[in-house]
Every structure is written in C-alpha cells, then in structure tokens.
Amino acid sequence: MATYITGATQILSIWDGTDSYDPIACLQSNGLSSERDVNEVPLTKCDYDSATSSFANKDIVLGGKTETASFEGLTTETETGKNTYIQLKTLFDGGTLKTYKLSNVDGTNDLYFNGYITSLELNSPNEERSTFSGEVRTDKDGSSTTEPSTKY
C-alpha cells in the first residue's frame, strides 16, 4: 500500500553558506513545477507513406528544462535559523544565486537545486496577517535528488 506524503512535511530551505539548510519561515505552501521545451521535427513530402496513405510519426527533440519553485508564507520578525521575508528580499535585490532544498521532514525524497529568487511579493491587508510569496527559478541544471557538490 502506498505511503502518502502530506504537504505539511515538505519544506523549502536555503543553504546557509556554512553547514545547514535553513527553512523559509512560516511557510503555508510551496511547490515545484517542471517544464521541458519540445521541438517537433518538420515533416516533408518524403515522410509520406503511400502504403498507409499517411505521414510517418513526427519526431520530437527535447529541448531545455525549466523549473520554478513557488512559496507562500506568513511574514515574521527575524527568526534564528529561518529565512524571513527581509532575508529573501535581500537575496532578491542582490540577484544572489543560492542552493535550495525541497525536503520531507523525514529526510527522504529530497530535491536540490541552485537558483535565483525571480519574484517576491509582500501583502499586508488591514487587520490580517502579513504574507509573502515568491518564486525561485532553477539554474540550467534544474533539480536533482543529488546534493550539488558546489553549494551557494
């Protein structure tokens, strides 16, 4: 029987530059979307099969991979060992390449990637909690189950 993973156990963290991955503070949700460019090879009249009265199957060539991690959380004051909105804003403003880890709290099925924060939004509605959201675009290598040898 399958063991299901709940969203509460998956945490997006950032390499602290020395010895650990520190989570993004007070996450409400996070995810990872993956896309790959697909280039179809154009058919010519030479690809027509008179026996079947149709064109042969189109060939496709896989192009580059693009992955984006998204996150949403509650805005907090500075919190030791966690990345708050202010720390994320500093990374965004500096265009800083960092190493990220999307992991389960039990240490299984971890995904690692290097990337840049490409969007960051702060929402502060009246009489409600302040929230933030953003996206991290992975570098050309995308995500992997193997921790990168060079971490940023």
Side-chain angles (χ1 to χ4, degrees), residues 19-35:
D19 62 358
S20 67
Y21 288 90
D22 295 337
I24 294 177
C26 296
L27 282 172
Q28 293 180 301
S29 69
N30 52 261
L32 181 68
S33 67
S34 304
E35 296 180 32

Side-chain angles (χ1 to χ4, degrees), residues 31-120:
L32 181 68
S33 67
S34 304
E35 296 180 32
R36 185 174 293 281
D37 294 331
V38 177
N39 302 310
E40 292 184 11
V41 177
L43 296 176
T44 68
K45 291 182 180 183
C46 295
D47 297 313
Y48 185 77
D49 182 352
S50 58
T52 62
S53 298
S54 64
F55 281 96
N57 291 332
K58 286 186 175 181
D59 287 330
I60 60 171
V61 176
L62 293 178
K65 178 172 69 170
T66 302
E67 293 185 294
T68 304
S70 59
F71 55 87
E72 296 178 17
L74 296 175
T75 307
T76 62
E77 298 289 330
T78 301
E79 194 171 346
T80 303
K82 293 188 177 179
N83 291 285
T84 64
Y85 171 79
I86 294 301
Q87 290 157 309
L88 298 173
K89 178 82 166 100
T90 301
L91 295 175
F92 174 80
D93 288 345
T96 308
L97 178 65
K98 292 296 287 182
T99 302
Y100 294 82
K101 177 180 174 183
L102 182 58
S103 62
N104 290 322
V105 292
D106 66 0
T108 62
N109 302 310
D110 294 343
L111 291 173
Y112 301 90
F113 54 91
N114 294 321
Y116 298 91
I117 297 176
T118 56
S119 71
L120 190 60

Side-chain angles (χ1 to χ4, degrees), residues 65 114 138-142:
K65 178 172 69 170
N114 294 321
T138 65
D139 69 0
K140 63 178 175 47
D141 296 326

Side-chain angles (χ1 to χ4, degrees), residues 125-142:
N126 190 35
E127 297 186 23
E128 293 182 31
R129 290 182 172 178
S130 178
T131 62
F132 64 90
S133 61
E135 292 184 335
V136 176
R137 177 90 177 260
T138 65
D139 69 0
K140 63 178 175 47
D141 296 326

